[in-house]
Structures are given as C-alpha cells and as structure tokens.
Amino acid sequence: MAAFHFELVSPEKLLFSGSVDSVVVPGSEGEFTVLAQHAPTMAVLRVGVVKVDAGDGKLSQLFVGGGFADISAKGLTILAEKAIPVEELTAARFDADILTSEKEAASAITDEARRLANEKVGQLRDVRATLGL
Amino acid sequence: MPSLKDLRNRIASVKATQKITKAMQMVAAAKLRRAQMAAEAARPYAERMGAVLANLAGGSAPGSNAPALLAGNGKNDVHLLLICTAERGLCGAFNSSIVRLAREHATSLMAQGKTVKIICVGKKGYDQLRRQFEKQIIELVDLRSLKQVGFENADEIAKKVITMFEAGAFDVCTIFFSRFQSVIAQFPTAQSLIPAEIPTAAASTGPAASYEYEPGQDEILETLLPRNISIQVFRALLENAASEQGARMSAMDNATRNAGDMIKKQTQLYNRSRQAMITKELIEIISGAEAL
C-alpha cells in the first residue's frame, strides 16, 4: 500500500510524525479514511479518536478534542486542540472534561455557544462509551 | 574609615548575596531550558496553523465579506492592548522594556485621539502601568500560581478578547510580549491580533481553489480564526516565559560577578587596614621600648 506523510500536532507538542498507510479521521460530518493520493481537503474535526495504521501491523489510536485536518499533496496534518494517546486516557479524565463542557453550557451567553458546548458533552460521552471507559 | 569588624560584616553579607544570585542564576538556567523546550514544541502547531490560515485567507476574496476577526471591523477607534509581562521581578530590563514599548504605543494612540483599553497579563507590567494608565486598565490576568503556562490559560485569555470583540468593546487588538532570540537577546514585540497578521511566506503552496472543504470554507474560517488567536496568545506567553528566564539568567550572572568584584575590593581593604593596625602596634611597642 502506498504510504503518505502524517502529522498530528497539538498546541503543546508534535505527537506523531511519520509515514503511514491510512488514517481514520473523525470529521465533523462523519468519519472518513485518508489514504495516499487523497484529494486536498480541509475538514473540521469533532471530539473523537484518530486511528492510525502505520503499515507495519501496528494500529495506534489517539484521542483528539476537536481541531482541523488539512490534507494536501504533502500529506495529512491534523491540528488538534487536545490530543492524547488512547492508552493514557482514564475515565476520570473524561469526567473532568465532561464537567467543564457542562459548566460551559450552563454559563453560555448565546444560544450558539450553548449548543456547541452541549454538542461537545454528547461527543465526549459517545467516545467514552465506545472506548468502554 | 570603617573598623575591621564592619568590614568583616560587609564581606560576609556580600558573600551571602552572591550565593543567592548564583542560585537564582542556576534555577533560571534550568527553567530556561524547560521554557525553551515548551516554546519549540509549540512551534509546529503555530506554523501549520499559519500555513492553513494563509491558504484559506488567500482563497476567500479580500472583500467586505471577510470575517471580522480576520480583516477587522473596519473601524480604528478603540484599541485593546494585551500586555504580557512576568509575574516576578529581578530579571533585568525584561519587564521595563515591554512596558516601555507598550507605553509609547498607548501614548501615541491617545495623542491621536483614540481610546485605549489595556489588559495586563502578569503582575509586574500592571504594577508599572497602574500609575499612568489607571483608567485604561480593565483587567489583570494573574498567572502567578502556574508553574508552566498551558494552552488552556492562553485559550481563556483569547476567549475573553473574542467575547469583548464580539460585544464591540474594541476595534483593534495588539499583543505585547518579548520575542526570545537568545539568552542575551530578547526583543519586545508588538503584534496585531485583530485584524489577524497572516504570514505571507506560505502563500506559495499552490492554488487554494482546488481544496475541498468540510463543512464549508466560511465555517472553517470562522472556527479557525478564534483558535488562531488562542495560538498566538499561547505562543506569546511561551516566548515571554523563555525570555523572562533568559533575562533573569543574564541579570543574575551580572549580579554574581558584581558581588565577586565587591568581595575582592572589600577583602583588599580589610587586609590593608589589618596590616596598618599591626604596623601601628609594632611602632608603638618599639618606640615605647626606645623611650625607656
């Protein structure tokens, strides 16, 4: 399988950089898989899990808390607001995140902000349920 | 002429001070390394963000329908200055040079009849500006309790700024911080946050028109721009942290060296007066013996 370059960066650090076979990206309008030669795309991400297949049989999963995916001729770059390897995730961490989002929803001034915060709570719960935490 | 005891006390106190400055220098060096690593780790994100933004902004027509966060709201009357300084002193001219730049900026804006609002990040800047700009300062963001600046802190500040912008509280936002070049060189810098400064170098990445957008180009730009502000604030805070430690390191190095010089001088003076006293006593004994 043809490989392409993939980078996952969060504001704090560069989490992943290397050649991969495929990456499943949690787009805001549904998950999609990026392979080599993908058309240049820019997508908004929701809270979810990025699944990376490095091609050597190793599958790594990374939790992202929203962000952007930029697919160009040079490869895929994900700018995540927050990114944590799934193995390091704990239920307590999810609870804290859900709580802050809920607080945000409660203190939101505009309807739009409240809707966004509520959406985030839902997405966080979904991911948590999928991961079985 | 100070007595021998005075001199001894003075030397002891300078030595104690030297120990403190030496320790502070070493602590600053260790912290600097950490701050520099954090600043470097944040760089890829900021760079990619700049490239993506340049791509998007190049695609959308620079007309009147560009988002306000990107192009500004067309007015230029109320300026918000976000002044980032350190929480602690004893770091040379670090705080003063940022404050000086910001003060010049603010006074020139006020001379042009514009309204100025100030948000201070860091207590030291606030202390220095409080007297002159009592009425302009609207907020002090305190990061004192933090060991290391996280993205959440920057995000919080950015959210405040954006909320104010959307409420129409200001038209133009400028951030002041110190750009880190090396341990001995930090440059106080002013950067425009709103309207956004787009790096032009990335514009040559190819035609933006061939991009597919999900959901839409405008929606993406709308979510991207607030995040870009958070990133810029975050970067400024990290650069500031590294600069602060660098400035403190060189200031403390200077202080240690000065203390060393002073100890040398005082010790010389002490030895000389001790010698003079011994000579004096000898002369007294000898002349006393001769008189007999």
Side-chain angles (χ1 to χ4, degrees):
Chain A
M1 228 160 122
F4 65 100
H5 191 69
F6 168 56
E7 269 178 8
L8 178 64
V9 281
S10 78
E12 264 120 22
K13 62 179 180 198
L14 181 69
L15 274 122
F16 189 102
S17 175
S19 171
V20 294
D21 270 358
S22 77
V23 180
V24 179
V25 182
S28 64
E29 319 219 300
E31 282 196 349
F32 60 93
T33 305
V34 180
L35 299 169
Q37 310 286 320
H38 195 287
T41 307
M42 183 109 47
V44 178
L45 305 187
R46 62 174 163 76
V47 179
V49 177
V50 175
K51 298 180 190 114
V52 185
D53 181 2
D56 49 6
K58 261 200 305 189
L59 257 172
S60 47
Q61 298 194 333
L62 297 125
F63 169 80
V64 292
F68 294 89
D70 174 24
I71 305 161
S72 66
K74 279 184 273 174
L76 166 65
T77 309
I78 291 183
L79 302 172
E81 214 167 277
K82 193 192 279 178
I84 308 158
V86 165
E87 302 86 59
E88 290 171 25
L89 277 177
T90 56
R93 213 155 171 174
F94 264 112
D95 286 339
D97 277 357
I98 289 174
L99 203 69
T100 40
S101 291
E102 272 174 352
K103 267 193 205 139
E104 225 168 83
S107 62
I109 312 158
T110 58
D111 286 346
E112 180 68 10
R114 191 171 313 124
R115 189 185 64 78
L116 280 174
N118 276 328
E119 209 174 271
K120 206 165 170 192
V121 173
Q123 286 169 354
L124 279 165
R125 288 229 168 90
D126 280 352
V127 176
R128 192 179 158 186
T130 338
L131 292 172
L133 282 170
Chain B
M1 187 73 192
S3 74
L4 281 184
K5 190 168 184 333
D6 286 343
L7 278 173
R8 253 199 316 266
N9 281 345
R10 198 177 297 165
I11 292 168
S13 98
V14 175
K15 267 187 184 157
T17 312
Q18 190 189 28
K19 268 185 201 146
I20 295 171
T21 56
K22 189 89 187 269
M24 277 182 82
Q25 187 209 337
M26 286 195 281
V27 170
K31 279 191 179 161
L32 170 69
R33 205 167 315 131
R34 217 168 339 130
Q36 240 177 318
M37 259 156 62
E40 264 160 36
R43 209 163 286 158
Y45 193 93
E47 274 170 13
R48 302 286 141 63
M49 181 66 102
V52 169
L53 207 58
N55 225 333
L56 269 173
S60 75
S64 54
N65 56 352
L69 282 179
L70 180 65
N73 57 5
K75 281 188 290 183
N76 187 21
D77 297 330
V78 186
H79 285 249
L80 177 74
L81 310 183
L82 197 61
I83 302 171
C84 307
T85 52
E87 294 288 356
R88 288 182 181 82
L90 284 180
C91 43
F94 172 76
N95 288 315
S96 334
S97 58
I98 299 173
V99 166
R100 195 184 316 126
L101 181 73
R103 188 181 285 144
E104 275 165 16
H105 197 85
T107 33
S108 83
L109 280 174
M110 277 152 85
Q112 289 166 36
K114 307 227 153 80
T115 316
V116 172
K117 291 179 180 177
I118 295 175
I119 294 182
C120 286
V121 181
K123 196 168 154 295
K124 284 290 156 189
Y126 175 71
D127 287 345
Q128 289 189 24
L129 288 165
R130 191 170 43 184
R131 212 167 305 139
Q132 197 181 346
F133 299 103
E134 178 86 68
K135 288 193 201 86
Q136 279 80 21
I137 294 176
I138 47 174
E139 203 168 336
L140 163 68
V141 180
D142 199 341
L143 301 174
R144 178 172 277 254
S145 52
L146 293 171
K147 245 181 138 180
Q148 180 137 29
V149 201
F151 182 62
E152 298 84 36
N153 311 112
D155 206 29
E156 227 168 83
I157 297 169
K159 271 194 189 125
K160 253 178 230 160
V161 171
I162 292 165
T163 323
M164 278 177 68
F165 182 69
E166 278 167 355
F170 66 89
D171 305 318
V172 178
C173 178
T174 315
I175 186 166
F176 290 86
F177 65 99
S178 188
R179 197 160 52 77
F180 181 81
Q181 174 100 13
S182 72
V183 178
I184 44 165
Q186 301 95 24
F187 303 108
T189 313
Q191 190 192 342
S192 166
L193 272 187
I194 303 171
E197 247 173 42
I198 305 289
T200 45
S204 59
T205 44
S210 61
Y211 258 93
E212 271 173 38
Y213 295 99
E214 184 186 309
Q217 191 168 352
D218 296 338
E219 286 91 333
I220 291 186
L221 203 53
E222 255 163 45
T223 34
L224 197 90
L225 285 168
R227 209 158 295 170
N228 181 47
I229 290 176
S230 310
I231 282 293
Q232 296 302 342
V233 173
F234 184 51
R235 203 181 62 108
L237 289 180
L238 286 178
E239 292 258 344
N240 233 13
S243 302
E244 179 198 344
Q245 298 305 342
R248 176 164 300 130
M249 206 175 119
S250 46
M252 284 303 121
D253 187 40
N254 268 340
T256 311
R257 212 166 311 139
N258 282 346
D261 286 351
M262 199 183 268
I263 289 170
K264 213 189 252 169
K265 238 185 251 161
Q266 297 283 346
T267 315
Q268 207 169 34
L269 191 63
Y270 171 75
N271 285 340
R272 221 173 262 159
S273 45
R274 191 173 58 102
Q275 193 61 54
M277 235 149 94
I278 292 168
T279 320
K280 203 175 88 191
E281 270 172 29
L282 274 177
I283 291 172
E284 271 167 13
I285 292 167
I286 292 166
S287 51
E290 269 175 1
L292 281 176

